[in-house]
Amino acid sequence: HKMAAAGAEAAAEEEKRLPEGDPESGGDSDDEGDSDSSGDGEDEEKENEAEIQRLEEQLSINAFDYNCHLDLIKLLRQEGELVKLRRARQKMSELFPLTEEIWLDWLKDEIKMASEISEREKVYELFERAVKDYICPEIWLEYAQYSIGGIGQEGGIEKVRSIFERALTAVGLHVTKGTALWEAYREFENAILETAQPAPGSIPSPEQQQVLCSQLEKIHTLFRRQLGIPLLDMEASYAEYEEWSEEPIPETTIKNYKKALQQLEKCKPYEEALLGAETPKLAEYQAYIDFEMKAGDPARIQLIYERALAENCLVPDLWARYNQYLDRQLKVKELVLSAHDRAVRNCPWTVGLWIRYLLAMERHRVEHSIISEMFEKALNAGFIQATDYVEIWQAYLDYLRRRVDFTQDSSKELEELRSAFARAVEYLKQEVEERFSESGDPSCTIMQNWARVEARLCNNMQKARELWDNIMTKGNAKYANMWLEYYNLERAHGDTQHCRKALHRAVQCTSDYPEHVCEVLLTLERIEGTLEDWDAAVQKTENRLARVNEQRAKAAEKEAALAKQEEERAEQRKQAKAEKKASKKAKKTRIGDKRKADEDDEGEWGQEEELPSKRHRGEGDGVLPEEDMEVETGLFGRSEKPDGPTIPKEKASTSRKDIPKVFHDSSKDKVTVFVSNLSYTMAEPEAKLRELFGSCGEVVEIRAVFNNKGTFRGYCYVQFREEEAAQQALALDRTAVEGRPMFVSPCVDKNKNPDFKVFRYSTTLEKHKLFISGLPFSCTKEELEEVCKAHGNVKDIRLVTNRAGKPKGLAYVEYENEAQASQAVLKMDGLTVKDHVIKVMISNPPLRKVPERPDPSKASLPLTPRHIYGARGKGRTQLSMMPRALQRQSNPVAKAENGMVQNSPAASSDPPAEPKKMSNADFAKMLLKK
């Protein structure tokens, strides 16, 4: 009777305690709604109802919108819509693992409404689901305390103890949070001990004495178990045990306690690192995991993995390592399958986790229907690469193949395997290729495996040949390795006739390694062929190799011709440069007046001497080439403002020549940054940039670069006093200055470091970042963010612009995790933004390819020499360095848009004669004739 009374009292206390602990309950929302009858309250209620309807419609379109689920649950809880709230939480829990906070809110709401025994059972079921998603000390503690309210029922005490024991198994080793569970368990047992005490003044019966001794032993055991585990503040627990126990503490307990203390000291650095680190603490957790792996305690290894995953649930590699440990070490079915299931629910876009899950289910002999159902879920997980679908199909086909008993001619399993192969080929052709514009299986590996199964295991060579015929029609006939793979299959399971036929076709079709397939054909005929077969093979291979060698010779000749033309053009450029310098020097000597010489030179040639060089993509990440560096170091121009009168504009060139040349000091590169892409019309760039970079640190010098006529060339060098200031200055890269993005990069001599490149953005696959194309040029960052934030938390948006700061219709959007990015791709791809259909994909920039020399054998137009450029080999703006009289040609030609001269359509189809190389004497004679 005392136990029942204690249970009823505990239940009553539990019912009182829980409502007080949740001030944001649905009931409170109802009270506030009733008390607030103003017009503003009604308007807010209508707005919330409209928002609830909108969120429900959005989830009906995309059920995997995580943030939409959260917003809907929050609104329903605020409005007190308990039925809809329960349904919304149920749907979300079926799709996603829920965090500890979401589960606690749900449990507290359900506890308040649970008054009947049947309703309490539903709460127990909810607790059982809650403790499976992540390691949750608070949920386990709440579960145990809630169960105390039911000790008045039959078997109530044993049920409470069972829950406490499970809680200790799950989180009792938690260094920082395990103590609370141990103490709660001891308090419960102490409460049971109090109810078992005899009434004051009475003598306990033998039965009562036995119950008391048994209960005391339970508490002693709990103390001893706890003191053998390294837990925070375990010294206080030891002191409490000493005070509570009427007997001396056993030596074994003291020994275990000291050992646990030593272990705690080893764990403390890792716990302190976790406390001081910022989320997600992945590196700190990995160090802790490595420490526990060396110690080798499976329970502690499992615990630290679970703790790490609770804070890094969207890191696929962490799940993969944990599951691999469980698969190879613990091998407990329930534990292994639970971990795999949680992994794919947290990271459904990672194909490797799904493959490991299928293997684990097969390893633990899960029913075939369940494995097939899980595979179908994997197909709907929304992988981000076409190859992912090939991998998951291959894993499932491997599983089906292992189920087949090939000793039987036919079976249900074999038919299912063949049907799955056919479905896989069709799925990649239809579903995957439509979405990714590629099947992900260019070599047809699935069809190859199907053919091997038919040939080797089913003795159905005819089906294998049909499959290989299909493979070759998909663009694989030009590869020698594909033909040899088919030949080897025929050699092992077919006949010589089909082997010979395959090799003859290979000799005819192969373009990458024809010699190899020719050698294989000759080897076959040497071993098994007749004289007629040998003669036919020799003739076929000789003819084929003769054609190949002829094509290669032509290609080599054209390559040599191109190389020769390049050498001639280089020599011509070198001569032109030398002649230009000699001409200028002669004019200066003859006239003696630089300004007069410049005017005469401009009148004859009709072009300005030097224009600002066009910056190519990828430059701006270091200093200029050596020839330009000399100009920069000798022409600091306006670094210091002169005290005298202002120099007239027409004298600027002469005054700049008077400035002594100061060569670049490479020892100061670490405190210097290179600034480029500035406006050529910028007035006083030194003052403008000194003000801009002053916030980074003390600026020692700003060296703006000007040409010989005093025109600013759009780049400069900024030297700081400290290296730290130069590093801070790099953060100003892409800052808008006078309507143009300013480029700021480290100062590195590219002549000494030709491969040096600085690119501030990643060029590899980033699964949490999207690449969006097709945007209207008028789209702003705020407008794009409004579109993207509906699918997750947007961390950053970058609109791609050209060098002038004008938009290119491209953008990169970074989300918090891969899951949000994956869902955004599914939702936004093909969306219309301001009458523009955008294309959205996971960011995976293509590798930058080094420009290759064009293949002359594939050229559609006859090759002609490039136009002879000026001394610096610049672009079209400097092609008019030759007097017009010398530009007349006897044959009219058409000029292409890019400045290259091509034959006119009416010209003869014969290749043009190679232009005769002119010497300086020839050039002079032609000039005198003109």
Side-chain angles (χ1 to χ4, degrees):
H1 293 294
K2 290 183 178 180
M3 291 293 298
E9 182 179 356
E13 289 297 325
E14 181 72 11
E15 294 295 335
K16 292 178 182 177
R17 182 180 64 80
L18 286 171
E20 295 174 357
D22 187 12
E24 298 180 359
S25 66
D28 291 342
S29 298
D30 290 339
D31 294 341
E32 292 174 3
D34 293 337
S35 61
D36 187 3
S37 57
S38 64
D40 293 340
E42 293 178 358
D43 292 341
E44 182 180 355
E45 185 176 351
K46 291 181 180 179
E47 291 177 2
N48 289 341
E49 290 177 357
E51 181 65 12
I52 289 172
Q53 185 176 358
R54 186 191 69 81
L55 292 172
E56 289 176 342
E57 291 176 355
Q58 187 169 342
L59 287 175
S60 66
I61 300 173
N62 180 16
F64 288 92
D65 192 331
Y66 188 87
N67 291 317
C68 190
H69 281 284
L70 292 180
D71 294 340
L72 178 60
I73 290 172
K74 182 179 179 181
L75 272 177
L76 291 174
R77 195 165 190 252
Q78 179 180 337
E79 292 296 313
E81 297 282 351
L82 300 180
V83 176
K84 289 185 178 181
L85 175 62
R86 181 180 292 169
R87 191 185 310 122
R89 283 167 166 166
Q90 180 67 28
K91 287 183 179 179
M92 184 178 183
S93 67
E94 292 172 356
L95 297 173
F96 303 102
L98 303 185
T99 64
E100 192 173 56
E101 294 75 18
I102 296 175
W103 275 117
L104 285 174
D105 287 341
W106 189 357
L107 288 165
K108 289 177 181 179
D109 290 344
E110 294 293 341
I111 287 172
K112 293 170 187 173
M113 296 185 289
S115 57
E116 302 295 333
I117 296 177
S118 60
E119 294 174 342
R120 290 184 64 88
E121 288 299 324
K122 292 181 180 179
V123 176
Y124 285 134
E125 293 174 3
L126 200 60
F127 269 114
E128 289 295 331
R129 291 175 54 193
V131 296
K132 290 179 181 178
D133 279 349
Y134 303 109
I135 181 172
C136 303
E138 284 79 6
I139 293 181
W140 275 112
L141 187 60
E142 192 76 22
Y143 190 8
Q145 291 176 342
Y146 179 73
S147 66
I148 294 175
I151 61 174
Q153 302 172 12
E154 183 178 356
I157 294 178
E158 292 306 319
K159 184 172 184 177
V160 174
R161 284 175 177 157
S162 173
I163 293 173
F164 267 119
E165 288 294 336
R166 289 174 57 204
L168 292 180
T169 302
V171 293
L173 299 179
H174 200 300
V175 175
T176 58
K177 298 183 178 180
T179 304
L181 269 171
W182 287 100
E183 291 178 351
Y185 197 179
R186 288 203 317 272
E187 289 178 4
F188 169 73
E189 294 294 352
N190 274 317
I192 299 299
L193 178 64
E194 289 296 326
T195 62
Q197 294 287 350
S202 63
I203 299 175
S205 64
E207 293 78 8
Q208 289 178 329
Q209 190 65 37
Q210 185 178 358
V211 171
L212 284 173
C213 292
S214 175
Q215 190 62 28
L216 284 171
E217 185 59 30
K218 284 184 173 64
I219 300 175
H220 276 288
T221 302
L222 281 176
F223 266 118
R224 293 166 188 170
R225 287 169 61 190
Q226 180 183 356
L227 293 175
I229 300 172
L231 297 172
L232 203 64
D233 201 23
M234 60 186 305
E235 295 89 348
S237 300
Y238 183 80
E240 182 182 350
Y241 187 29
E242 281 185 317
E243 182 180 354
W244 180 85
S245 178
E246 298 177 354
E247 302 174 0
I249 299 178
E251 288 297 327
T252 306
T253 303
I254 296 176
K255 183 179 179 180
N256 292 338
Y257 167 70
K258 291 181 178 179
K259 184 179 179 180
L261 272 178
Q262 294 176 356
Q263 192 173 359
L264 178 63
E265 290 301 319
K266 295 178 182 179
C267 295
K268 274 186 177 179
Y270 299 99
E271 294 290 347
E272 290 171 356
L274 289 174
L275 288 174
E278 297 181 357
T279 304
K281 313 177 185 179
L282 190 57
E284 290 76 13
Y285 272 119
Q286 188 57 56
Y288 207 163
I289 290 171
D290 294 339
F291 165 74
E292 293 292 0
M293 290 288 284
K294 291 179 181 178
D297 186 343
R300 298 192 64 81
I301 294 173
Q302 181 187 353
L303 176 69
I304 191 59
Y305 263 121
E306 291 287 355
R307 289 178 60 184
L309 288 167
E311 296 192 52
N312 298 274
C313 60
L314 299 178
V315 180
D317 290 342
L318 188 59
W319 281 108
R321 290 195 295 270
Y322 181 39
N323 289 337
Q324 184 182 72
Y325 171 77
L326 296 178
D327 286 334
R328 296 180 179 179
Q329 302 297 327
L330 297 188
K331 302 179 182 179
V332 180
K333 178 178 179 180
E334 292 75 13
L335 184 61
V336 169
L337 296 182
S338 173
H340 279 288
D341 184 69
R342 290 186 292 137
V344 298
R345 291 182 68 202
N346 279 278
C347 306
W349 63 89
T350 307
V351 68
L353 297 178
W354 287 100
I355 293 174
R356 291 185 178 90
Y357 194 7
L358 295 176
L359 289 171
M361 287 194 290
E362 181 185 3
R363 198 175 292 121
H364 291 281
R365 294 178 172 81
V366 177
E367 294 181 7
H368 172 61
S369 59
I370 298 178
I371 297 180
S372 298
E373 181 181 350
M374 192 57 60
F375 168 71
E376 295 298 333
K377 287 184 179 179
L379 286 182
N380 296 321
F383 299 132
I384 59 178
Q385 298 180 91
T387 53
D388 291 345
Y389 288 93
V390 179
E391 292 179 27
I392 193 65
W393 266 112
Q394 192 58 65
Y396 183 59
L397 292 168
D398 292 344
Y399 157 71
L400 293 178
R401 195 266 307 162
R402 289 188 286 266
R403 296 182 68 242
V404 179
D405 181 7
F406 290 100
T407 59
Q408 302 178 11
D409 293 338
S410 63
S411 63
K412 179 181 177 182
E413 290 79 9
L414 178 57
E415 293 305 317
E416 184 178 5
L417 174 61
R418 285 172 170 159
S419 175
F421 267 119
R423 183 188 168 202
V425 173
E426 189 67 20
Y427 187 91
L428 295 179
K429 180 181 179 181
Q430 299 292 336
E431 302 290 337
V432 177
E433 195 164 347
E434 180 180 349
R435 178 180 170 190
F436 296 97
S437 300
E438 59 166 327
S439 67
D441 191 16
S443 299
C444 303
T445 55
I446 288 181
M447 294 182 69
Q448 288 188 48
N449 291 332
W450 188 1
R452 294 187 188 103
V453 170
E454 294 289 354
R456 297 177 185 177
L457 302 178
C458 301
N459 298 319
N460 188 354
M461 197 61 203
Q462 182 60 34
K463 180 64 177 177
R465 293 184 185 116
E466 293 176 5
L467 290 168
W468 267 105
D469 185 66
N470 195 359
I471 291 171
M472 290 305 182
T473 60
K474 294 183 181 297
N476 293 303
K478 59 185 177 181
Y479 301 116
N481 67 313
M482 300 296 288
W483 283 108
L484 295 179
E485 186 71 30
Y486 172 43
Y487 166 75
N488 290 330
L489 191 67
E490 281 284 1
R491 192 72 173 157
H493 307 285
D495 52 54
T496 304
Q497 179 182 357
H498 284 90
C499 288
R500 182 176 290 111
K501 183 179 179 181
L503 289 177
H504 275 272
R505 290 179 60 196
V507 170
Q508 189 67 28
C509 300
T510 301
S511 61
D512 54 352
Y513 299 104
E515 295 90 350
H516 192 33
V517 293
C518 289
E519 182 182 353
V520 175
L521 174 58
L522 293 175
T523 301
L524 172 68
E525 302 301 359
R526 180 176 285 112
I527 302 299
E528 301 183 20
T530 63
L531 179 60
E532 291 77 8
D533 295 332
W534 173 261
D535 290 341
V538 170
Q539 183 179 357
K540 193 173 190 68
T541 55
E542 286 180 350
N543 291 338
R544 174 61 175 159
L545 292 179
R547 289 197 302 271
V548 170
N549 291 331
E550 182 181 354
Q551 292 172 357
R552 290 175 178 172
K554 289 181 179 179
E557 291 176 2
K558 292 181 179 180
E559 185 74 16
L562 280 176
K564 185 177 180 180
Q565 291 175 9
E566 286 292 338
E567 292 177 1
E568 291 174 354
R569 283 194 287 268
E571 183 66 24
Q572 291 170 355
R573 287 194 295 268
K574 184 177 180 180
Q575 290 180 5
K577 185 176 181 181
E579 291 171 6
K580 181 180 178 180
K581 287 184 178 179
S583 175
K584 285 185 177 181
K585 185 175 181 181
K587 289 177 181 178
K588 289 179 182 178
T589 303
R590 184 170 59 252
I591 300 174
D593 186 355
K594 182 181 182 302
R595 180 181 177 188
K596 180 71 166 56
D598 289 342
E599 291 176 354
D600 292 344
D601 185 48
E602 183 174 351
E604 179 180 354
W605 301 101
Q607 288 284 339
E608 100 177 346
E609 178 181 289
E610 184 175 5
L611 295 176
S613 62
K614 181 178 180 181
R615 171 179 172 172
H616 299 287
R617 183 166 61 177
E619 294 182 2
D621 299 329
V623 299
L624 293 176
E626 189 173 358
E627 60 181 4
D628 286 343
M629 185 184 294
E630 182 176 349
V631 175
E632 179 273 321
T633 51
L635 299 173
F636 295 154
R638 292 174 280 187
S639 295
E640 295 181 3
K641 196 170 183 177
D643 296 332
T646 303
I647 300 174
K649 185 174 182 180
E650 57 270 12
K651 297 292 185 179
S653 176
T654 304
S655 63
R656 294 196 183 283
K657 287 291 183 181
D658 297 336
I659 298 177
K661 185 176 294 186
V662 181
F663 292 96
H664 179 72
D665 187 358
S666 60
S667 64
K668 297 181 180 179
D669 283 351
K670 292 185 177 181
V671 295
T672 305
V673 295
F674 177 64
V675 183
S676 59
N677 200 42
L678 299 171
S679 174
Y680 298 140
T681 60
M682 179 180 290
E684 299 297 333
E686 296 92 343
K688 179 76 174 180
L689 297 179
R690 187 176 295 275
E691 178 183 356
L692 186 62
F693 286 96
S695 59
C696 302
E698 182 181 353
V699 178
V700 176
E701 184 180 19
I702 295 181
R703 303 195 298 274
V705 182
F706 302 85
N707 63 11
N708 291 336
K709 294 189 176 183
T711 304
F712 180 47
R713 297 190 63 182
Y715 59 89
C716 65
Y717 296 82
V718 180
Q719 180 181 334
F720 294 90
R721 181 75 63 188
E722 302 292 338
E723 182 178 349
E724 182 180 354
Q727 294 298 323
Q728 293 181 7
L730 296 177
L732 297 178
D733 186 35
R734 268 67 178 182
T735 301
V737 177
E738 295 188 0
R740 296 171 63 89
M742 174 182 67
F743 297 160
V744 184
S745 55
C747 185
V748 177
D749 188 350
K750 287 190 175 180
N751 292 294
K752 298 179 181 178
N753 300 276
D755 297 330
F756 177 79
K757 293 286 182 184
V758 171
F759 193 67
R760 63 182 295 184
Y761 305 110
S762 173
T763 58
T764 59
L765 174 65
E766 295 179 281
K767 295 184 179 180
H768 66 290
K769 185 180 292 185
L770 304 183
F771 172 68
I772 303 178
S773 59
L775 289 168
F777 292 157
S778 61
C779 182
T780 64
K781 183 176 180 180
E782 291 74 18
E783 291 173 340
L784 183 58
E785 182 177 8
E786 189 67 26
V787 175
C788 296
K789 71 180 183 180
H791 312 292
N793 295 328
V794 178
K795 293 180 63 178
D796 183 44
I797 292 181
R798 176 167 64 92
L799 295 177
V800 182
T801 60
N802 59 17
R803 293 172 55 80
K806 303 298 182 182
K808 300 175 69 175
L810 309 174
Y812 289 90
V813 180
E814 182 179 358
Y815 283 94
E816 277 192 348
N817 53 61
E818 300 174 22
Q820 296 177 0
S822 179
Q823 296 305 318
V825 170
L826 297 175
K827 185 66 177 177
M828 294 173 56
D829 189 28
L831 188 69
T832 301
V833 178
K834 293 185 177 180
D835 297 330
H836 285 66
V837 178
I838 64 174
K839 188 174 183 180
V840 184
M841 62 186 72
I842 296 295
S843 175
N844 188 17
L847 296 176
R848 291 189 176 185
K849 297 182 180 179
V850 179
E852 298 179 355
R853 191 189 307 274
D855 187 356
S857 64
K858 298 180 180 179
S860 59
L861 295 175
L863 298 173
T864 59
R866 270 175 43 198
H867 193 94
I868 299 175
Y869 292 162
R872 289 187 177 271
K874 301 293 182 181
R876 284 183 296 173
T877 54
Q878 293 182 346
L879 291 180
S880 301
M881 299 298 291
M882 183 181 294
R884 297 184 187 90
L886 299 184
Q887 295 180 6
R888 300 194 189 101
Q889 300 181 14
S890 57
N891 297 328
V893 296
K895 186 175 182 182
E897 291 181 359
N898 60 356
M900 298 289 290
V901 178
Q902 301 178 350
N903 293 337
S904 64
S908 172
S909 60
D910 296 333
E914 184 174 339
K916 182 179 178 181
K917 183 177 179 181
M918 297 177 61
S919 65
N920 291 343
D922 295 335
F923 187 88
K925 290 178 181 179
M926 184 171 65
L927 181 63
L928 291 174
K929 290 180 181 180
K930 297 294 182 181

